[in-house]
Amino acid sequence: MVYAVDGVAFPVQPDAYMSMSSDQVVTGAQRTVGPGAQMTKELLAEKLTANCKWTFLTRDQFLRIKRMRTGKNFVRLRYYDENTDTIREGQFYSGTMTYEPGPTDASGKPAHYKNISWPFIER
């Protein structure tokens, strides 16, 4: 669960299906062929990945969240770490935000946005 980006809380918390995972960064992955085949790899690091998702946001909510990432490669996240059962802060890469604009209103601007996803990868 992500609570804040650079000290600013989301205007709307991500939906309950927000995902967190721990990914391994490896090199030299190899495997042998045949009976008793073995796999080897060199573990370089384990990185936490968070993917914040919203099903539906008003235009104002969406624009506030989008401004939280504008012009930034890395952000400071405040998040729940289930490994330590604590609230922590750390530096994360701000990934590509994806979204779908909804129908336009009388002004010609999207009235809402849906299927918004904003991924983060631990630095």
Side-chain angles (χ1 to χ4, degrees), residues 2-118:
V2 175
Y3 300 104
V5 176
D6 287 335
V8 178
F10 290 122
V12 175
Q13 276 296 313
D15 294 341
Y17 60 82
M18 181 199 79
S19 63
M20 300 283 286
S21 63
S22 180
D23 298 322
Q24 291 186 340
V25 179
V26 299
T27 188
Q30 300 177 14
R31 66 177 172 185
T32 58
V33 179
Q38 295 193 9
M39 295 185 69
T40 61
K41 66 181 178 182
E42 181 182 347
L43 178 62
L44 299 176
E46 287 206 33
K47 299 291 185 175
L48 183 65
T49 300
N51 193 9
C52 295
K53 296 181 179 185
W54 296 265
T55 304
F56 179 91
L57 292 172
T58 66
R59 181 173 57 225
D60 180 60
Q61 292 167 335
F62 171 77
L63 293 175
R64 287 173 53 198
I65 290 172
K66 193 166 184 198
R67 280 191 293 269
M68 294 171 82
R69 72 176 294 278
T70 301
K72 299 176 184 176
N73 285 327
F74 294 94
V75 295
R76 184 174 39 91
L77 290 189
R78 182 171 167 81
Y79 64 97
Y80 169 70
D81 182 356
E82 55 277 321
N83 292 328
T84 61
D85 194 30
T86 60
I87 306 296
R88 301 184 62 190
E89 287 194 5
Q91 290 286 322
F92 285 74
Y93 167 75
S94 173
T96 301
M97 181 182 280
T98 59
Y99 53 89
E100 297 173 38
T104 57
D105 60 15
S107 70
K109 299 174 186 174
H112 64 268
Y113 291 80
K114 59 185 180 174
N115 301 323
I116 303 98
S117 179
W118 184 7

